Amino acid sequence: MKIRKMNEKHLESIIEIEEKTYNQPWTYKQFRNSIGNSRSKCYVVIDDDILCGYIMLFRQDDNWYIENLTVHEEHRRKKIGTKLVQFAKKVTHPEPILTLVQDGFLPMHLLLKSVGFRATHIIKDLDNDEYYSFTTD
């Protein structure tokens, strides 16, 4: 299992995973723009030539934000998300990473806590839902 920098060759597989996972998936254009943005860091996990997951980081001010972290449904429960977040912490060090997670998304809450994130506050009524803000600092 290897973590690689995301590039346009990965986008077909990424879009496939994104569309299977989310009701409102990112578009090809959104991914392509992130790859080309100097304030973004985008990585994929490849295992046996199969793209298993990806993480999208965006820098604003002195912080990094996890914009998208997704693992293909057939590759979940293999610590791929954990490895991506640990890798993200290394490449963004010493700046903190922040992210928002929907209230009911327990697997992501547990993953973040297992790699040293802590919940800082709740944001209510964002997209008609509640989100927890997590940070590494």
Side-chain angles (χ1 to χ4, degrees), residues 16-77:
E16 191 175 306
I17 295 168
E18 189 79 2
E19 289 177 348
K20 286 181 181 177
T21 305
Y22 301 109
N23 292 330
Q24 295 179 335
W26 280 32
T27 64
Y28 183 93
K29 184 178 179 180
Q30 286 173 297
F31 280 103
R32 194 181 70 231
N33 289 344
S34 289
I35 292 170
N37 188 325
S38 63
R39 295 188 306 167
S40 294
K41 292 181 182 275
C42 309
Y43 300 95
V44 297
V45 170
I46 307 289
D47 191 26
D48 291 330
D49 295 325
I50 297 170
L51 195 147
C52 302
Y54 47 91
I55 190 167
M56 316 285 293
L57 304 164
F58 183 77
R59 184 179 174 89
Q60 185 173 353
D61 301 322
D62 291 331
N63 298 306
W64 286 94
Y65 294 86
I66 297 175
E67 288 191 298
N68 192 332
L69 170 63
T70 306
V71 176
H72 189 287
E73 64 186 352
E74 294 176 13
H75 299 279
R76 292 181 188 151
R77 305 280 181 233

